[in-house]
Amino acid sequence: MNKFVKIVGAVAIINIVARFFGFLREMIIGFQYGTGHISDSIFTAYMIPNFLYLVVGGAFTTVFISIYNREATDKGLFVKQSYTIVVVSAIIMTLIGMAFANPILESFNTGKAVSEDQMALTRNLYLWMMPSSIFLVLSSWYSGLLNVNQRFHLSSFAILFYNAIFLVIAVVLSETTIGPMGYGISALVSAVLMVYFLVIGYRKLDSFKVGFSFKHNVSTKELWIMVVPIMLGGATIQLYALLQRYVAGLLSLEGAVSSVNYASKLMQFPQAILITAVTTVIYPILSHKEAENDHASIKSLYSKGLQYLFLLLIPVTIYSYFYSTNLIQVVFEYNKFDAKATAITAPVLAVFVLSMYFLAANTYITRFYYAKGDSMAPVIFSLLNVFGVNIGAIFLLVGSTGVVSIAWGTLISSIVNFIMLIVYASFKYDLKMGIFSKDLQFFRAMPPMIIITIVMYFSSKYLVFEYKWITFIVGLVIFSAVLVGSFLLFGVKEVKEFSDKLKKKFLK
């Protein structure tokens, strides 16, 4: 068990570093191009390839692992069959994306006056980046192949390798006469190199050969049946991103696209790290307990996981809300990203961060639905909220809040989705979160949250200094002290247990 925990910890650390490089790329784009049309073009061009990578690649990989691990599967044949399906599917989708480049890109700029030069830059970036979709989807499949062979570190390191190479090549090329087109070239080159890295790693295993096979059997039929609902179920965050980009394109406000991108990426950074840490550790345990029909442990894991997410993300949400302007200044406000860009981006971030807990909790709860064999309920809830509540809220509020309406749409729809998931899980599977269970630990955390909110409000209002980094450091120190102090004062069980473990470790 200790070995397993160490492996999970190492993989989690690699994922955090990989995400840091990806976020650093966003920071550098802000440094180089601010919130102007160039940064808008880069983000727009990369959106579709990234969508295919995360949604299509992720779905194919999940289904591949599921079918591969079955005893009845002819593993050698299935490796070739799934490889063929993934490659052909990725090529077809990429060709369609490139063939319809103009209408796709124009749809993201409806309502905005875009010059021919600006459109040409976006199109050229898109045509460079779109072919990377083939290699990104294929790399996701290879990662699954490595994972079923217990090579978790290698598949995780590939993402780190990709983000680091993408960043280095893009920065070097963009500082030459190539300019922003360097990001398009870098997207394709880094994707190719990532696949090469994974191929070399897999060949060293001397396992089943990878190749083409157009033979159809039960395994390929099941792959197609399973991949569509998983694709829809795993696309929530990416669908939000696509709709956010589309609505931002409808607004005439300059910098709307970039401000939404910067704010959402900054919001997703702590959320993604924390949800990865929680689900990576708890989900394998959940799967094991479900196989044993240990319903008592499953209920405990459900409530405990939501409680941990609450304790981790709500304080971060409070801090980020009151220090949204300072965070944008510290992270992005350099060179071309000026005070005007901060003024546009900070209000968007302030609302976005309010959805952190709900987005993370929704991801966590759906794991329990999947473990129960129920993939349709979370898909239906997700589609209703992303395309119904989300869009309705945006267009209802866009007249009064402008670009911030996009963040409001995400917040309101994620809350409604959260309510649907917990209510259905409570009645269908008797799964209850802390507030509805007999566990009083949830309520012990409420007074600290109130104290943190009050202190952060006053510190963000009255402890603002001329130098942004002093404001940031002072705010962070106060937040850390109040967070730990209030949790210990009110005897929050999880924090007390962690504190006791640290004392035992350092007092040995």
Side-chain angles (χ1 to χ4, degrees), residues 412-449:
I412 295 170
S413 59
S414 64
I415 292 174
V416 175
N417 195 31
F418 174 74
I419 294 171
M420 287 181 173
L421 286 169
I422 61 170
V423 170
Y424 189 80
S426 176
F427 285 101
K428 181 73 173 179
Y429 304 114
D430 195 28
L431 297 173
K432 294 178 173 62
M433 63 179 297
I435 192 172
F436 300 115
S437 68
K438 297 178 182 179
D439 187 2
L440 297 178
Q441 291 303 315
F442 179 86
F443 297 98
R444 284 182 178 273
M446 296 310 296
M449 298 304 173

Side-chain angles (χ1 to χ4, degrees), residues 385-405:
N385 284 285
V386 172
F387 292 103
V389 177
N390 178 42
I391 294 176
I394 290 173
F395 284 101
L396 184 66
L397 297 171
V398 68
S400 57
T401 62
V403 68
V404 184
S405 65

Side-chain angles (χ1 to χ4, degrees), residues 14 143 146 151-159 197-198 200-202 205:
I14 294 172
S143 293
L146 286 165
R151 294 296 188 271
F152 303 104
H153 295 79
L154 193 57
S155 60
S156 297
F157 191 79
I159 301 173
F197 175 85
L198 290 166
I200 296 301
Y202 179 70
L205 300 180

Side-chain angles (χ1 to χ4, degrees), residues 195-446:
V195 171
Y196 178 75
F197 175 85
L198 290 166
V199 169
I200 296 301
Y202 179 70
R203 284 180 178 176
K204 291 180 179 179
L205 300 180
D206 193 26
S207 186
F208 300 110
K209 290 186 178 180
V210 175
F212 289 96
S213 174
F214 292 91
K215 182 178 180 180
H216 296 284
N217 56 15
V218 175
S219 295
T220 56
K221 182 180 179 180
E222 290 182 344
L223 186 149
W224 284 114
I225 292 173
M226 294 175 64
V227 79
V228 175
I230 290 179
M231 197 180 295
L232 292 173
T236 302
I237 300 298
Q238 287 68 43
L239 288 174
Y240 272 126
L242 283 176
L243 286 172
Q244 288 164 4
R245 174 61 188 86
Y246 178 76
V247 176
L250 294 175
L251 303 177
S252 57
L253 179 64
E254 182 181 354
V257 173
S258 295
S259 64
V260 169
N261 183 81
Y262 292 131
S264 63
K265 289 298 172 61
L266 186 54
M267 177 269 290
Q268 291 170 16
F269 187 66
Q271 172 206 326
I273 290 174
L274 294 176
I275 188 61
T276 299
V278 173
T279 56
T280 299
V281 174
I282 291 183
Y283 187 57
I285 301 173
L286 166 64
S287 300
H288 182 68
K289 296 298 181 182
E290 188 65 41
E292 295 179 340
N293 290 318
D294 188 350
H295 298 297
S297 295
I298 292 171
K299 291 179 182 179
S300 176
L301 282 170
Y302 180 81
S303 180
K304 184 178 291 186
L306 290 174
Q307 175 76 350
Y308 274 119
L309 285 175
F310 185 85
L311 294 174
L312 289 167
L313 282 171
I314 295 300
V316 175
T317 296
I318 296 169
Y319 170 79
S320 301
Y321 176 79
F322 289 113
Y323 279 83
S324 57
T325 299
N326 181 245
L327 283 171
I328 295 295
Q329 290 173 336
V330 169
V331 176
F332 291 114
E333 195 177 293
Y334 305 97
N335 198 27
K336 294 294 182 64
F337 198 108
D338 54 18
K340 181 182 176 182
T342 296
I344 297 172
T345 309
V348 182
L349 176 64
V351 178
F352 261 140
V353 296
L354 298 177
S355 63
M356 275 199 295
Y357 173 74
F358 302 103
L359 290 171
N362 292 343
T363 301
Y364 181 77
I365 295 170
T366 54
R367 296 291 195 278
F368 288 80
Y369 281 84
Y370 293 153
K372 297 288 184 181
D374 184 357
S375 61
M376 289 308 300
V379 169
I380 293 171
F381 295 154
S382 176
L383 294 178
L384 284 174
N385 284 285
V386 172
F387 292 103
V389 177
N390 178 42
I391 294 176
I394 290 173
F395 284 101
L396 184 66
L397 297 171
V398 68
S400 57
T401 62
V403 68
V404 184
S405 65
I406 296 172
W408 278 113
T410 301
L411 172 61
I412 295 170
S413 59
S414 64
I415 292 174
V416 175
N417 195 31
F418 174 74
I419 294 171
M420 287 181 173
L421 286 169
I422 61 170
V423 170
Y424 189 80
S426 176
F427 285 101
K428 181 73 173 179
Y429 304 114
D430 195 28
L431 297 173
K432 294 178 173 62
M433 63 179 297
I435 192 172
F436 300 115
S437 68
K438 297 178 182 179
D439 187 2
L440 297 178
Q441 291 303 315
F442 179 86
F443 297 98
R444 284 182 178 273
M446 296 310 296

